[in-house]
Amino acid sequence: MKHVLSALLGAATLLGAAPSVAQTTLTIATVNNGDMIRMQALTSEFTAKNPDITVKWVTLEENVLRQRVTTDIATKGGQFDVLTIGTYEVPIWAKKNWLIPLDNLGPDYDTADLLPKIRDAASVSGKLYAAPFYGESSMVMYRTDLFQKAGLTMPENPSWDFVIDAANKLTDKSGGVYGICLRGKAGWGENMALLTAMSNSFGARWFDEKWQPQFEQKGRSGKERERSRPMST
């Protein structure tokens, strides 16, 4: 539960992106999270070393970015040269030849130094198609003071039954304390990736191979469950 790899954001280069020549403008589409905002602060350092390249940033909220980028690349609109995407898109887009394999990142980029699971998630047929900036994990964070007050001890590997029981014991509505908080913003990367990973780990799934809804079906077991289990580290 603490080690489910829920998302990986990396930079990918679109097929047919312009080479670095005089008067080149690179348009980069990225999400508006802290890591990507900090990356933009390095623009001046890059352009100082590459005065023939102008960098234009298009920074969008996650759901808007996914919609804009998917539409642009599917219709070959050509608005973006470099973009940040997740592990879900990398293998699909690479197989459609929408991305260029990152074969020549230079000697300073040590591909072997990437965490194996992250490197594999951004690769297809042994070729890297996205340069990961960070990996995200699903985890349970808790306040030790509230646990101590409620006489609770967090186990090394808590079950969901324990989490539910602890949340009930920690809740004090009259005092404005609620035992659990989950991200409630709508969107795949905002909350559905987490819920899907949780469901898959118990053998559940949204649809079967014929796209029949499986919401009310009993959890699967054995080899079928193993095939649907989310990647973990």
Side-chain angles (χ1 to χ4, degrees), residues 70-203:
T70 301
T71 300
D72 182 68
I73 194 172
T75 59
K76 299 182 180 181
Q79 296 183 53
F80 311 117
D81 302 297
V82 181
L83 48 87
T84 54
I85 58 178
T87 49
Y88 176 80
E89 291 90 356
V90 172
I92 298 174
W93 292 11
K95 291 176 181 177
K96 289 180 177 291
N97 294 320
W98 288 353
L99 305 176
I100 295 174
L102 304 180
D103 295 329
N104 301 304
L105 293 174
D108 293 337
Y109 193 89
D110 187 4
T111 303
D113 191 50
L114 298 173
L115 294 174
K117 288 292 186 182
I118 292 180
R119 184 180 63 244
D120 293 346
S123 300
V124 176
S125 300
K127 291 185 177 182
L128 191 70
Y129 279 85
F133 287 96
Y134 62 85
E136 295 179 348
S137 296
S138 301
M139 66 188 71
V140 173
M141 295 185 292
Y142 65 99
R143 283 180 50 177
T144 55
D145 59 331
L146 293 182
F147 261 59
Q148 184 176 7
K149 182 179 179 180
L152 295 169
T153 300
M154 177 65 78
E156 181 66 24
N157 295 294
S159 66
W160 286 113
D161 287 336
F162 173 85
V163 171
I164 294 171
D165 181 62
N168 287 328
K169 292 179 179 177
L170 293 173
T171 298
D172 177 13
K173 294 183 179 180
S174 62
V177 176
Y178 292 83
I180 194 167
C181 176
L182 300 173
R183 192 176 189 183
K185 192 174 181 181
W188 168 253
E190 310 286 5
N191 64 14
M192 294 308 295
L194 169 65
L195 296 179
T196 299
M198 290 167 52
S199 301
N200 285 350
S201 66
F202 282 92

